[in-house]
Amino acid sequence: MSRRESRGTTNHIITMKKVIISFLLALMTTGITHAVSYRGFANLGSGILIEPETDEIHVYFSVNTTHGAQLNRHFFIGAGVNLSLHDGENFYSGYGAIRYDYDITKKWSPFAEVKLGYQSPIHSYETNSINALYFSPSVGARLKLSRVCGLNFGLSYSPITRHYHYEYNYGDNSRSKCNAVFFNIGVDF
């Protein structure tokens, strides 16, 4: 390794150290590092799936579990899986989640949450549902049951992209974007 290459590598290492130290200082000043702990969620949801092109309404069921770190009394970050069931189509999703609770130490605390990941069909009777982005924002309230447990009530939205292939149309394919709105109830621990 020449002196020039060695100097470039050394400068790169120094720059990376500065970035890491700055990031750690930022975490410490926001009070995140002293309060990190495990938190998990298990939710059941039910609602309606609306197909805008046909105005059809379907019943929609969802079950999901999310696990991660409670960064402080307001912020949670984690990952989870979701299983969605409706009219012969079943989807599974893997996602990352970020959640803001107003204050989990209070008896009642409003929250907002966003889940973002990947959705894939499990089984489909009429359609060929396609792999797609999983996006599900939620708002709701948490009832504190104990120091480490709570009951959550929420309203969620999730768009679903479906790909139709009808054999009698000789390969005529079309896509439909559906909107699912559902009510969740779950526990956190």
Side-chain angles (χ1 to χ4, degrees), residues 49 90 113 176:
L49 178 86
N90 304 326
E113 178 179 46
S176 173

Side-chain angles (χ1 to χ4, degrees), residues 85-150:
L85 313 166
H86 61 87
D87 289 350
E89 288 190 285
N90 304 326
F91 295 92
Y92 68 90
S93 308
Y95 57 83
I98 186 164
R99 176 175 162 137
Y100 176 82
D101 288 278
Y102 178 71
D103 189 347
I104 62 172
T105 62
K106 304 287 184 194
K107 183 74 172 171
W108 282 97
S109 177
F111 70 83
E113 178 179 46
V114 174
K115 296 175 183 172
L116 183 64
Y118 179 77
Q119 173 177 283
S120 187
I122 297 173
H123 192 327
S124 174
Y125 294 114
E126 295 178 7
T127 65
N128 254 340
S129 297
I130 59 175
N131 299 332
L133 173 73
Y134 176 74
F135 173 68
S136 183
S138 303
V139 293
R142 175 185 190 263
L143 172 63
K144 180 180 173 182
L145 299 176
S146 72
R147 190 179 66 78
V148 295
C149 185

Side-chain angles (χ1 to χ4, degrees), residues 41-44 62-66 81-83 95 115 134 184:
F41 296 87
N43 297 306
L44 295 173
S62 173
V63 59
N64 65 62
T65 183
T66 308
V81 292
N82 180 66
L83 176 63
Y95 57 83
K115 296 175 183 172
Y134 176 74
N184 293 316

Side-chain angles (χ1 to χ4, degrees), residues 1-17:
M1 183 181 296
S2 72
R3 281 186 143 187
R4 179 175 276 159
E5 290 174 345
S6 175
R7 220 175 306 147
T9 304
T10 303
N11 288 340
H12 179 69
I13 291 171
I14 291 171
T15 302
M16 288 303 296
K17 284 181 181 179

Side-chain angles (χ1 to χ4, degrees), residues 50-68:
I50 304 164
E51 291 191 57
E53 293 176 7
T54 61
D55 290 330
E56 291 181 14
I57 296 176
H58 306 277
V59 177
Y60 181 93
F61 296 99
S62 173
V63 59
N64 65 62
T65 183
T66 308
H67 303 273

